[in-house]
Amino acid sequence: MAYSITEKCNGCTACARLCPVFAIAGERGQLHTINAKRCVECAVCAHACVQQAVADADGDFPPKLPRKAWHVPSIKTEECSACQMCVHICTAGALSISLPAFRGDLNVFAQLSAPKKCVGCGLCASICPLGIITMQAPDASEGGNV
């Protein structure tokens, strides 16, 4: 089940700006809504909400978290096939494929190239066909790559 926005919403638009699947709509200063069919239950909206107006499927209100506490992808680069699926699904533009070290280098991999853009939604981890991306606390991932 999708997250929902309650009457506590003041329409600040923080949730809508950060939603990785564009599931949140509303005008500034007015109550926003979440499209349940688009919501991937990543909790980014709840973590960003100053008003604690976002409820999960159980009706609980996940806490607002400072951005530095949001999880980031940790990638087992030595196992990455550089398929780019994670790069393409990342609407925040936080991931990229590494550049080859030399002409003909095939040892390229996905990397968290823009950690400040990452919203911690976990879509990259969910789509990785090799299962080599996990979401971890920023201090545990040491820059996003293992």
Side-chain angles (χ1 to χ4, degrees), residues 61-85:
F61 293 87
K64 178 182 179 351
L65 293 176
R67 187 94 182 227
K68 65 183 177 187
W70 294 4
H71 286 182
V72 294
S74 177
I75 305 165
K76 294 180 183 174
T77 56
E78 67 282 354
E79 296 179 34
C80 181
S81 67
C83 71
Q84 299 188 39
M85 291 177 71

Side-chain angles (χ1 to χ4, degrees), residues 32-43:
H32 282 52
T33 58
I34 297 176
N35 180 333
K37 291 181 181 180
R38 291 194 64 96
C39 179
V40 294
E41 299 181 45
C42 65

Side-chain angles (χ1 to χ4, degrees), residues 98-109:
S98 67
L99 295 174
F102 52 87
R103 186 178 179 155
D105 181 15
L106 298 177
N107 189 25
V108 294
F109 48 85

Side-chain angles (χ1 to χ4, degrees), residues 81-95:
S81 67
C83 71
Q84 299 188 39
M85 291 177 71
C86 58
V87 173
H88 290 296
I89 203 165
C90 182
T91 58
L95 300 172

